[in-house]
Amino acid sequence: MISQPHPQDDGLWYKDAVVYQLHVKSFFDSNDDGVGDLPGLISKLDYIANLGVDTIWLLPFYPSPRRDDGYDIADYRGVHPDYGTVADVRKLIRAAHARGLRVITELVVNHTSDQHPWFQRARTSRPGSAARNFYVWSDNDKAYAGTRVIFCDTEKSNWTWDPVANAYFWHRFYSHQPDLNYDNPQVLKEVLAVMRHWLDMGVDGLRLDAVPYLVEREGTNNENLPETHQVLKRIRAVIDSEYPGRLLLAEANQWPEDAQEYFGNGDECHMSFHFPLMPRMYMAIAQEDRFPITDIIRQTPDIPATCQWAIFLRNHDELTLEMVTSRERDYLWSVYAADPRARINLGIRRRLAPLLERDRRRVELMNSLLLSMPGTPVLYYGDELGMGDNVHLGDRDGVRTPMQWSPDRNGGFSRADPERLPLPVLMGPLYGYEAVNVEAQQRDPHSLLNWTRRMLAQRRQTHAFGRGTLRFIQAGNRKILAYLRQWRDTTILCVANLSNAAQPVELPLQAFNGRVPVEMLGGTPFPAIGELPYLLTLPPYGFYWMDLSAEAAPPGWHASAPERMPELVTLVLRGHANAVLTDGSRQTLETEVLPEYLARQRWFPGATPPARVSLAYATPFGAGRAESSGAGGAEYYWA
């Protein structure tokens, strides 16, 4: 097993992190009002820490009408009363830090709720005033005509008429979420003040929501504009000067060449989500072909040394298919969302386990890819159990149902009456809380929960996954994905079978001649690598993580064995102790034992076994051991 000292504290803790994403309202209800809250989350921190993650990402918990599940913020500095108080946030941060957990919260920088005091003041202020210019207004809905509508299922335009302001306001998301105007310097000043408020409280990082859309310019698609990057540079400058060691995580659902721009030259965001990789992992196992993964990784530019991708399988939103071609989108819809109710906007509103049809092999394979690909993995709450979803709920609420803690009432989430819960718990025979819950899986050593714990514990033994380079190995079998993760003196070979059938593969590993691959999950050494291609056979959807060790010894059974002696045989004599050999015993000696034995003796003149051996006579020495007796007399055995 690999065990490496932690790199010198260089402020890059996020490179080695594993992030656990959760919604406060859906995690645990401490006061039995039906809604999860901050004290409930505090009571479950030990579960999170024991899972093996080291960072918590909290979805918005601020005061909000919750028409977009909290992303429509009405007060950046407060806490929704259903969730607790600002004092509870302080307690949560202290309790998390005491367990070695960091906390990331949301900073929704693109828009507010239309109930926010800024918007209420803007709509009643005169046109051109500083208060009105907190948002983007127009006398008509024809401006910025080249901009796509993101929520195409519910919104027909990015402009909405406001009868109070007697003008149209601009929004990239829902019509109740007006976009802030970053051409007004006062907006950025207010956003920085909000950022300082939470960082002063001890928050370790901020996820910047929807960063590609901060600035608008006519004649563009209003995404990834240079002015947007200037805003991010100013935010980062405050972090570096006042809060070193804190994190900025960009949500930029863009192609890799655009998403990497949000790192700047190491002077914008520390991390950015790699959205295009996620759907291609699903495509790879659907097509049983490694090309979707290798192709998108090759399209991914190099990033500054201090930056890191965030990678994920699922999250609180739909499985977005914006960053695939229309043909690929149709294919993924047909495979993973044949039921039209599972589709929303340009994505799929399903959790991990339902997407993979409860196939434990594929769930494990996908998690092994997540934990070994370049970047910081993000786990979505409940996916460590194989939780399901409810496509009958509106919007994306189907993947935000309460955490299933036990087979008790409401899945152990709350003691409130079920109708008081904001979202119903799952109750079906496959994914319901009686079938899938923490309590049962903690007691089952072979559960998905305990498997996830073991995988995360193993990942913590090396920094190669978080910090190492990646190099694909070109194997002839395209159903096999093989790659090397290298960091300092450590080289890890990852091999994954993307097929539902066993697959052989020959890997060109001659550069590691003499090294012994040690399977990391079980500590099993494999035969040493030689001058020929290395042969492996993988079961359906199987995978290996192997440390290519220069110190480990190959398995004992693979070493040169001493010359084999003839097998021991049992000779059976029926009757009394002086009975002669039976015909069967004589034949065994003459044809199997003696020819091989004689050929190995130095005094035997031949180099090959004699063509024929015959016994002239046989004389027993002493009495054998009586094993049984009966009508036919005793049986005596000589060996």
Side-chain angles (χ1 to χ4, degrees):
M1 178 182 294
I2 296 177
S3 182
Q4 297 173 340
H6 198 283
Q8 185 177 3
D9 187 10
D10 50 11
L12 304 180
W13 56 268
Y14 47 89
K15 283 181 169 282
D16 302 309
V18 177
V19 181
Y20 189 74
Q21 179 194 7
L22 62 89
H23 204 329
V24 173
K25 80 167 188 180
S26 297
F27 207 61
F28 187 70
D29 172 21
S30 68
N31 59 3
D32 298 331
D33 65 352
V35 182
D37 47 46
L38 290 164
L41 172 57
I42 294 171
S43 71
K44 296 297 185 181
L45 286 178
D46 286 337
Y47 166 81
I48 297 174
N50 291 335
L51 182 61
V53 303
D54 46 33
T55 305
I56 306 171
W57 162 21
L58 303 179
L59 272 64
F61 50 78
Y62 315 106
S64 163
R66 292 195 298 208
R67 296 179 65 187
D68 187 19
D69 208 18
Y71 281 92
D72 49 334
I73 295 175
D75 178 7
Y76 280 110
R77 290 180 171 84
V79 174
H80 197 290
D82 285 349
Y83 303 153
T85 65
V86 173
D88 290 328
V89 177
R90 292 192 177 95
K91 292 177 184 177
L92 170 65
I93 294 171
R94 288 196 298 269
H97 288 172
R99 292 165 173 80
L101 298 170
R102 290 182 167 91
V103 179
I104 296 175
T105 59
E106 295 274 358
L107 185 62
V108 183
V109 293
N110 180 69
H111 53 262
T112 69
S113 165
D114 58 9
Q115 302 303 306
H116 196 288
W118 295 347
F119 187 78
Q120 294 300 315
R121 184 170 62 246
R123 69 197 308 203
T124 57
S125 300
R126 61 179 177 81
S129 65
R132 173 67 74 97
N133 287 340
F134 256 66
Y135 297 87
V136 181
W137 301 91
S138 175
D139 293 333
N140 59 67
D141 60 356
K142 306 303 179 184
Y144 310 139
T147 307
R148 68 189 174 102
V149 176
I150 296 173
F151 288 165
C152 55
D153 281 1
T154 54
E155 302 294 337
K156 304 305 178 185
S157 171
N158 289 315
W159 291 104
T160 290
W161 176 258
D162 182 53
V164 176
N166 199 31
Y168 289 92
F169 65 84
W170 176 255
H171 56 90
R172 289 307 306 271
F173 295 95
Y174 292 115
S175 57
H176 54 80
Q177 294 171 313
D179 278 21
L180 292 164
N181 177 18
Y182 280 89
D183 288 329
N184 180 353
Q186 190 65 26
V187 169
L188 180 57
K189 181 179 178 181
E190 290 288 348
V191 169
L192 290 175
V194 170
M195 181 179 77
R196 290 186 175 99
H197 172 79
W198 294 107
L199 292 174
D200 287 342
M201 202 174 296
V203 165
D204 300 283
L206 298 167
R207 174 186 177 270
L208 305 182
D209 182 67
V211 293
Y213 320 117
L214 300 186
V215 179
E216 301 77 30
R217 292 293 181 268
E218 195 64 69
T220 72
N221 66 356
N222 288 306
E223 298 181 15
N224 312 311
L225 299 183
E227 294 85 350
T228 291
H229 292 286
Q230 292 304 314
V231 171
L232 293 177
K233 290 180 188 295
R234 294 182 62 184
I235 294 175
R236 174 63 181 270
V238 173
I239 290 286
D240 287 345
S241 63
E242 301 179 26
Y243 304 97
R246 311 294 179 92
L247 168 74
L248 291 176
L249 170 58
E251 186 215 21
N253 187 2
Q254 303 288 318
W255 290 98
E257 60 269 21
D258 293 323
Q260 63 92 23
E261 294 289 339
Y262 291 91
F263 298 120
N265 294 316
D267 58 354
E268 292 187 32
C269 293
H270 303 79
M271 293 179 62
S272 179
F273 287 102
H274 198 312
F275 278 92
L277 174 61
M278 179 267 297
R280 285 166 176 81
M281 288 196 280
Y282 290 96
M283 188 181 300
I285 64 171
Q287 296 179 339
E288 300 187 354
D289 190 338
R290 65 175 179 248
F291 177 76
I293 296 176
T294 58
D295 182 55
I296 199 64
I297 293 294
R298 289 193 180 97
Q299 293 182 45
T300 303
D302 292 335
I303 61 177
T306 57
C307 297
Q308 179 84 318
W309 292 109
I311 56 178
F312 61 101
L313 297 175
R314 287 301 297 112
N315 60 18
H316 63 294
D317 288 328
E318 69 270 29
L319 192 163
T320 176
L321 302 180
E322 290 184 68
M323 295 301 115
V324 298
T325 67
S326 58
R327 183 176 180 180
E328 291 170 334
R329 184 180 305 119
D330 289 341
Y331 174 78
L332 289 168
W333 267 338
S334 67
V335 173
Y336 293 108
D339 184 348
R341 292 172 298 183
R343 305 178 188 182
I344 186 172
N345 299 317
L346 293 180
I348 304 172
R349 49 179 176 179
R350 303 303 307 266
R351 270 186 176 268
L352 177 64
L355 281 167
L356 301 177
E357 299 174 315
R358 299 178 66 248
D359 186 341
R360 173 74 177 266
R361 301 170 304 171
R362 285 190 288 171
V363 171
E364 292 184 0
L365 173 62
M366 289 289 279
N367 276 295
S368 77
L369 295 176
L370 174 70
L371 297 176
S372 60
M373 280 282 165
T376 294
V378 179
L379 306 180
Y380 188 49
Y381 82 96
D383 280 351
E384 73 273 18
L385 306 175
M387 268 181 61
D389 52 46
N390 185 349
V391 296
H392 301 281
L393 298 178
D395 195 17
R396 293 155 291 181
D397 286 341
V399 300
R400 304 173 184 180
T401 55
M403 182 70 170
Q404 296 168 193
W405 294 102
S406 73
D408 297 332
R409 181 179 188 174
N410 296 323
F413 164 74
S414 173
R415 298 295 299 172
D417 293 337
E419 59 269 19
R420 297 186 63 190
L421 273 58
L423 294 174
V425 293
L426 301 181
M427 301 178 65
L430 298 181
Y431 298 105
Y433 62 84
E434 291 182 330
V436 178
N437 62 74
V438 171
E439 182 180 302
Q441 292 202 18
Q442 282 181 327
R443 295 201 300 262
D444 179 3
H446 305 292
S447 67
L448 181 60
L449 172 61
N450 282 316
W451 179 88
T452 303
R453 286 172 171 166
R454 291 191 293 270
M455 290 291 289
L456 293 176
Q458 185 57 61
R459 191 183 190 276
R460 287 197 303 272
Q461 300 301 311
T462 177
H463 305 290
F465 292 129
R467 297 175 180 245
T469 60
L470 177 139
R471 178 164 66 87
F472 288 113
I473 298 175
Q474 293 301 315
N477 188 346
R478 288 181 53 145
K479 297 179 187 293
I480 298 295
L481 174 67
Y483 48 98
L484 297 171
R485 301 302 315 277
Q486 294 178 289
W487 185 72
R488 295 184 179 175
D489 297 330
T490 299
T491 300
I492 296 175
L493 169 67
C494 301
V495 189
N497 178 11
L498 306 174
S499 166
N500 65 356
Q503 296 291 329
V505 64
E506 290 182 333
L507 301 175
L509 298 175
Q510 291 89 334
F512 301 95
N513 187 5
R515 295 214 184 179
V516 175
V518 180
E519 201 278 323
M520 294 169 59
L521 302 180
T524 304
F526 277 52
I529 298 170
E531 298 179 356
L532 298 176
Y534 197 76
L535 177 63
L536 284 174
T537 303
L538 288 87
Y541 300 121
F543 68 92
Y544 292 127
W545 289 356
M546 291 179 162
D547 173 29
L548 302 187
S549 174
E551 291 82 24
W557 56 264
H558 196 257
S560 298
E563 192 172 25
R564 185 178 66 88
M565 293 301 293
E567 299 286 348
L568 293 175
V569 298
T570 299
L571 303 180
V572 181
L573 288 80
R574 294 184 179 274
H576 56 81
N578 294 321
V580 297
L581 290 171
T582 64
D583 291 341
S585 297
R586 178 183 291 273
Q587 182 179 5
T588 299
L589 283 171
E590 291 180 342
T591 61
E592 298 180 24
V593 178
L594 291 176
E596 189 174 354
Y597 174 77
L598 293 174
R600 284 181 166 80
Q601 305 312 306
R602 289 176 295 173
W603 46 264
F604 189 77
T608 58
R612 181 174 179 274
V613 175
S614 61
L615 288 174
Y617 59 90
T619 302
F621 291 89
R625 178 167 54 92
E627 295 289 344
S628 64
S629 61
E635 294 185 358
Y636 295 88
Y637 294 78
W638 278 260

